[in-house]
Amino acid sequence: MGKLTRTFYNRDTLTVARELLGKYVVRRRGERFLCGRICETEAYIGRMDKACHAYNYRRTARTETLFAPPGTAYIYLIYGMYHCLNFVTEAEGEPCAVLIRGLEPAGDGELLARQRYGKALGELSPYQRKNFLNGPGKLCRALDLTRAQNGLDLTGEELFVWDAGEPVPPFHTGKRVGIDYAGEAVDFPWRFYV
């Protein structure tokens, strides 16, 4: 199949969030590649979703990337210490994105372990293995993603999503995590996980 094109992202955000499951986030670091299979996503739709940073089309320096063309990386910092990777969706000017919440290691898991924990994959404790890439901040650390990569074109060479032609795996749907402030949006079933 190959690298996802802008057309893939330029669709309904909920559809994109579901169809990203089972695909591979790839981060190029020189001649090496960091890679993980997407196993958890959350959708955010600014025009009507109080959990979205650009709810009701609110534009700030932080949210400007949400208004970029579909297929743009939106990376922000939470709690002053954790980065979160999102993929901008729908038409340019519509503030919508999919948060990547969890990955499974793929490719060179050794390199991911060194990025995340600073030690070899075989040296990880059972707890570290269980919690390797199961959160947006954890996966950004393993992929070496920070605000410096905010705005990257996901159809480029540094950061992209690879479709290996596998069908979307069976998945569950539920409420999104950590958005207690978001009024009725708290109950939107916009989290998808394998």
Side-chain angles (χ1 to χ4, degrees), residues 108-128:
D108 191 351
E110 190 69 35
L111 192 53
L112 290 171
R114 292 218 178 268
Q115 276 295 132
R116 168 92 165 86
Y117 292 112
K119 56 185 173 180
L121 193 58
E123 297 173 346
L124 301 184
S125 70
Y127 178 83
Q128 289 172 321

Side-chain angles (χ1 to χ4, degrees), residues 94-116:
E94 281 295 323
C96 302
V98 174
L99 170 67
I100 307 304
R101 281 202 56 82
L103 298 176
E104 298 167 345
D108 191 351
E110 190 69 35
L111 192 53
L112 290 171
R114 292 218 178 268
Q115 276 295 132
R116 168 92 165 86

Side-chain angles (χ1 to χ4, degrees), residues 20 22-26 35-38 106 160-164 166:
L20 279 167
K23 302 208 176 13
Y24 297 85
V25 175
V26 181
C35 182
R37 185 170 184 255
I38 299 171
F160 55 90
V161 178
W162 186 263
D163 181 355
E166 302 164 351

Side-chain angles (χ1 to χ4, degrees), residues 6-42:
R6 197 165 313 284
T7 303
F8 177 88
Y9 302 101
N10 190 16
R11 300 181 299 147
D12 171 73
T13 302
L14 295 172
T15 300
V16 174
R18 289 187 294 265
E19 291 185 9
L20 279 167
L21 295 171
K23 302 208 176 13
Y24 297 85
V25 175
V26 181
R27 167 89 154 105
R28 185 179 188 146
R29 301 293 291 143
E31 296 304 311
R32 302 191 72 182
F33 294 89
L34 300 161
C35 182
R37 185 170 184 255
I38 299 171
C39 61
E40 185 175 359
T41 63
E42 288 182 351

Side-chain angles (χ1 to χ4, degrees), residues 3 11 16 18 26 32 57-59 68-69 84 90 97 102 104 117-118 132 156 171 175-176 181-182 191:
K3 188 187 302 181
R11 300 181 299 147
V16 174
R18 289 187 294 265
V26 181
R32 302 191 72 182
Y57 296 93
R58 180 177 51 240
R59 285 183 106 121
C84 294
E90 301 195 23
E104 298 167 345
Y117 292 112
F132 192 8
F171 62 88
K175 295 179 183 181
R176 295 171 295 177
Y181 57 85
R191 176 175 163 244

Side-chain angles (χ1 to χ4, degrees), residues 171-194:
F171 62 88
H172 303 279
T173 302
K175 295 179 183 181
R176 295 171 295 177
V177 177
I179 58 163
D180 296 341
Y181 57 85
E184 70 280 356
V186 168
D187 294 320
F188 293 174
W190 289 359
R191 176 175 163 244
F192 307 100
Y193 56 101
V194 176

Side-chain angles (χ1 to χ4, degrees), residues 53-87:
H53 294 157
Y55 168 64
N56 204 23
Y57 296 93
R58 180 177 51 240
R59 285 183 106 121
T60 66
R62 180 188 194 196
T63 66
E64 196 58 36
T65 306
L66 280 168
F67 295 88
T72 300
Y74 170 48
I75 301 175
Y76 60 88
L77 190 67
I78 57 169
Y79 310 126
M81 59 195 301
Y82 301 115
H83 290 92
C84 294
L85 172 63
N86 298 258
F87 300 153

